[in-house]
Amino acid sequence: MYELHIGNKNYSSWSLRPWVLLKALGIPFTERQHYFGEGPGFSTFSPTALVPALVDGATTVWDSLAIAEYVHEAYPAVWPANKAARAFARSAAAEMHSGFSTLRNICSMSVGIRVKLHDTPPALMRDLARIDALWTTGLTNFGGAYLAGEAFTAVDAFFAPVVFRIQTYGAGFELSATARAYADRMLALPAMVEWYEGGLAETQRDLPHEAEIAASGEIIADFRAK
Ligand SMILES: N[C@@H](CCC(=O)N[C@@H](CS)C(=O)NCC(=O)O)C(=O)O
């Protein structure tokens, strides 16, 4: 059985991607959770000392996109069956993997809080506009509830952290009704609800993450366990 090493559910956006993919597709795995800044460090299971890492027997896969590709070899449902949808899904997941740095920097993931940003610079608005356009293209072209068709696939998993960021920071973001409806659908997905509840239950606070968030905005609600 796969072992998936992840960080805090509240903060770890990269961990969320493969975790929600495996959960939503019903692929069995054992979760190994490690809190940021605690214990012997992530280098005990990952060559980059980063989460996520997937361990399958003697094989370690230490990057979220590589994990999606590795799991796809055993479970084809990771990517859409339709060739055009698969090309779109892979392009969009890769775009997320290597881009949207302003959104990632300003809106650090913290699923259990709500934040009013001090500032919404043009680069952040550009990232959001691109995400809106990309989501709308996928939902329109492939005609499903998810980005590349009727089924949840890896491309949805790659945008799952954006969905939580919109919930945390995005009350005032200008997003189309289509993009908002997709975000709401994702938030209602049982795998997303399970991650969210796991994040809310965590009481450990990682000071570097907390400091990043405090620099970006004012916390207006905190639903995390004390
Ligand atoms: N490209 C990597 C990025 C992984 C990454 O940056 N993980 C962060 C947390 S979400 C991490 O492990 N940071 C280690 C630390 O802060 O100590 C992937 O896709 O898996």
Side-chain angles (χ1 to χ4, degrees), residues 11-26:
Y11 305 113
S12 188
S13 59
W14 294 105
S15 300
L16 166 60
R17 295 166 167 90
W19 189 98
V20 77
L21 179 66
L22 296 176
K23 277 279 167 175
L25 269 52

Side-chain angles (χ1 to χ4, degrees), residues 12-179:
S12 188
S13 59
W14 294 105
S15 300
L16 166 60
R17 295 166 167 90
W19 189 98
V20 77
L21 179 66
L22 296 176
K23 277 279 167 175
L25 269 52
I27 298 170
F29 68 101
T30 303
E31 176 184 310
R32 303 265 182 243
Q33 192 181 27
H34 314 266
Y35 287 154
F36 292 110
E38 276 187 12
F42 299 170
S43 58
T44 54
F45 57 83
S46 165
T48 52
L50 299 174
V51 282
L54 183 91
V55 176
D56 183 22
T59 303
T60 297
V61 190
W62 62 86
D63 174 274
S64 53
L65 192 51
I67 293 170
E69 293 299 354
Y70 181 79
V71 174
H72 176 246
E73 292 179 26
Y75 296 92
V78 163
W79 293 113
N82 173 277
K83 190 176 175 185
R86 198 162 62 247
F88 171 85
R90 280 195 162 117
S91 300
E95 183 178 344
M96 182 70 242
H97 199 58
S98 59
F100 301 110
S101 56
T102 305
L103 176 68
R104 288 215 294 254
N105 291 339
I106 296 183
C107 303
S108 178
M109 194 173 97
S110 182
V111 302
I113 63 173
R114 303 295 177 267
V115 177
K116 189 176 180 332
L117 289 172
H118 296 314
D119 188 22
T120 50
L124 177 62
M125 297 298 105
R126 279 197 296 277
D127 275 0
L128 288 167
R130 172 61 196 142
I131 284 167
D132 197 323
L134 188 156
W135 287 0
T136 303
T137 301
L139 294 164
T140 307
N141 288 2
F142 305 107
Y146 295 101
L147 294 179
E150 280 306 333
F152 178 101
T153 62
V155 66
D156 302 289
F158 271 74
F159 284 95
V162 173
V163 167
F164 280 131
R165 287 175 161 116
I166 289 172
Q167 178 169 256
T168 293
Y169 299 91
F173 288 171
E174 274 181 36
L175 288 170
S176 65
T178 304

